[in-house]
Amino acid sequence: MAKARRKEERRKRDARRGRLGPGRYDALVAELVRCVKLAFEAGATGSLFGMEGPLRHEIRSDLCLQAWGWAAADLLVRDLLSDVFNKVGAERPAWNEGQPEWVIESGTLIERTRCVNCSRPLLDGRKKFCSDLCANTHHARVTYRKEMTEERILATVSRWI
Ligand SMILES: [Zn+2]
């Protein structure tokens, strides 16, 4: 079943690319690879993914103006940028590295001066939390979030709104 599903997804992906026009998909990928590399090497972006948002928005917008539906345009741009980032060898950081509580790695210039949990100044050589109480509270909160089911996530988020 998984093989059949992958085959169907590949067929849909190829149909989206084909709708763009013969050779246009590959030409777009090549051009975007050049732009992404140029922007990164010139220091205009902090990572190879630096232009992902604006590119995704602009290309999707252009496709919509050419009578593509939003969802189809978004899927094509997703495929396009995925191929671009594969070609430039960009690797996304792990989920943990994207979280605000990510621990400072050795060699990183940024150093915490405030407690992650309560924002009080860090004293006595502490690196992340001002006290064990704050550390335990923070870890309990993160564990709670990681173990959330879809229903609990929806209930929690709807309370924030
Ligand atoms: Zn604290």
Side-chain angles (χ1 to χ4, degrees), residues 6 48 65:
R6 278 197 306 269
L48 289 167
L65 290 173

Side-chain angles (χ1 to χ4, degrees), residues 60-76:
R60 183 180 57 223
S61 174
D62 285 350
L63 291 172
C64 287
L65 290 173
Q66 294 170 32
W68 284 59
W70 190 95
D74 192 55
L75 285 173
L76 180 82

